Amino acid sequence: MSERGTVSVLVIDDSAHNRHTLTTLLESAPDVRVLDRAADGEEGLKKVLELKPDVVTLDLEMPKLGGYTFLRLLMRTAPTPVIVISSYAHRSDVFKALELGAFDFIAKPARGTSEELESLRVELLDKVRAALHVRPGQRHVSPGARALAVAGELPLVVAIGASTGGPPAVQRVLEGLAAEPTPCVLVSQHMPAQFTRAFADRLDRIGPFTVTEASEGDVVQPGHVYIAPGGRHLVVVDRGTRLELHTPPPTPVDKYAPSVDRLFTSVAQVLGPRALAVVLTGMGADGALGAREVQRAGGEVWAESEETAVVYGMPGEAVATGAVKRVLRLGEIGPALASLARRRR
């Protein structure tokens, strides 16, 4: 954190209007200060090295030096938490940026109404503050997956909850689980509605799992990964001869949609002692209540360790409940799940 307890930010965007808007939103909080603004990646990189901000906000499409190249050079020379500001039209680009080391992303408002700008302000300030908890250079690197055939019954259902830093972490877990690609994986990742299908499509390409955005009435199948649709929950119900997925809308009391607590609780109710929940990186406490439900049902709860979590909020809160049975580094979770799946076959 910068002097006088403020978070220092560098805003990089080729639009003068966007630079002004982001600066105004950021400086609406007394603990956030915009050090400077840059119109392209080349200017931005120079200012990062000169000013050493705590956090950078980044537009991906810029002249001279684009966002991807900027991220590669930044992470190599002066690792700094980066929050990507992306439009819905370029949602697939976000996941490449996260793989290159970006801390998180925020979707630009579609119309820029006062309500949308206020929502953007709250999310932006939350994520800028959370970025301070990232250790320098902390990022999830994906080693690549092996494509293997899916066969057999459904020996294991894994429920995964994640938020900030989650997309690359979920991919890393699936890559580690690829050695035993028969389980079904249910993922509740905090993400705007327009991005979850692109996230599923990207994961589907890494193999061997079939990855889709969950739809109402989907039947749980081995070798499949179901991503909770943004803005809706993902829950499991028992239909006697099959497990079925429902995607109900949020209620006024729901803080998150999708909710990790809702997913974990449904898995606990349906699977009982065979329930397995994994809490990955993320801000807040979503998943902690659900973790207790899984434990009460006789199931297991695992959490990502503080050593590898981009943000230790969610896994830390789950551990604090006493419900977590295993705390593992990110790279250990996938192989451990594969080993458990083989034992349960």
Side-chain angles (χ1 to χ4, degrees):
M1 188 171 283
S2 304
E3 296 179 3
R4 299 177 183 176
T6 60
V7 185
S8 62
V9 183
L10 175 67
V11 174
I12 307 177
D13 198 302
D14 64 343
S15 164
H17 172 74
N18 289 343
R19 292 196 299 273
H20 174 75
T21 299
L22 290 171
T23 299
T24 300
L25 296 177
L26 287 164
E27 293 195 331
S28 67
D31 61 328
V32 178
R33 180 167 64 103
V34 175
L35 293 178
D36 207 343
R37 296 174 281 190
D40 57 66
E42 184 177 306
E43 181 186 9
L45 190 60
K46 292 177 181 177
K47 289 189 174 182
V48 170
L49 297 175
E50 174 190 352
L51 301 174
K52 298 179 174 57
D54 295 320
V55 187
V56 173
T57 68
L58 177 69
D59 180 29
L60 291 176
E61 293 192 350
M62 297 179 295
K64 293 185 181 180
L65 191 70
Y68 296 145
T69 305
F70 171 85
L71 280 167
R72 290 189 184 97
L73 293 174
L74 179 69
M75 295 307 164
R76 189 182 307 153
T77 58
T80 306
V82 174
I83 298 173
V84 170
I85 312 293
S86 175
S87 68
Y88 290 124
H90 300 94
R91 49 189 175 270
S92 62
D93 298 341
V94 163
F95 304 107
K96 182 176 179 180
L98 294 174
E99 290 178 357
L100 291 173
F103 164 69
D104 207 340
F105 75 94
I106 295 174
K108 291 179 182 177
R111 296 179 300 278
T113 63
S114 58
E115 293 81 5
E116 288 179 330
L117 287 175
E118 174 59 18
S119 177
L120 174 62
R121 186 186 75 86
V122 172
E123 183 178 10
L124 184 60
L125 291 174
D126 282 347
K127 292 187 175 181
V128 161
R129 292 167 179 139
L132 288 177
H133 301 290
V134 181
R135 293 183 295 279
Q138 178 71 27
R139 53 185 291 203
H140 294 321
V141 181
S142 300
R146 290 181 291 167
L148 300 174
V150 177
E153 299 298 323
L154 183 63
L156 182 66
V157 175
V158 183
I160 295 178
S163 183
T164 303
V170 170
Q171 179 172 334
R172 183 75 180 276
V173 170
L174 294 182
E175 289 171 340
L177 184 54
E180 180 62 32
T182 56
C184 170
V185 182
L186 311 174
V187 179
S188 180
Q189 163 72 53
H190 295 168
M191 189 178 289
Q194 292 87 342
F195 286 85
T196 45
R197 180 164 295 178
F199 180 42
D201 291 344
R202 187 174 188 86
L203 291 177
D204 188 53
R205 292 195 291 270
I206 71 174
F209 298 96
T210 298
V211 186
T212 59
E213 182 184 59
S215 296
E216 181 71 17
D218 279 347
V219 176
V220 172
Q221 299 182 60
H224 282 62
V225 177
Y226 301 91
I227 307 297
R232 302 184 74 88
H233 299 303
L234 176 61
V235 297
V236 187
V237 295
D238 187 352
R239 293 302 187 199
T241 60
R242 67 186 186 277
L243 298 183
E244 197 172 276
L245 299 178
H246 285 193
T247 57
T251 67
V253 299
D254 288 322
K255 184 176 182 180
Y256 303 103
S259 163
V260 180
D261 283 328
R262 291 281 295 270
L263 173 60
F264 285 4
T265 298
S266 73
V267 168
Q269 292 170 345
V270 170
L271 296 175
R274 291 181 63 84
L276 176 58
V278 180
V279 186
L280 300 180
T281 174
M283 293 189 293
D286 193 19
L289 292 174
R292 284 198 287 263
E293 293 302 317
V294 172
Q295 182 195 41
R296 290 191 188 104
E300 286 190 21
V301 182
W302 298 2
E304 182 180 355
S305 71
E306 185 173 9
E307 186 178 0
T308 62
V310 171
V311 177
Y312 192 57
M314 282 171 49
E317 292 289 341
V319 170
T321 67
V324 174
K325 183 175 182 179
R326 301 184 69 180
V327 177
L328 301 168
R329 292 170 55 89
L330 178 63
E332 298 171 340
I333 295 174
L337 289 172
S339 177
L340 179 61
R342 284 191 291 270
R343 294 198 304 271
R344 288 194 179 184
R345 287 167 67 178

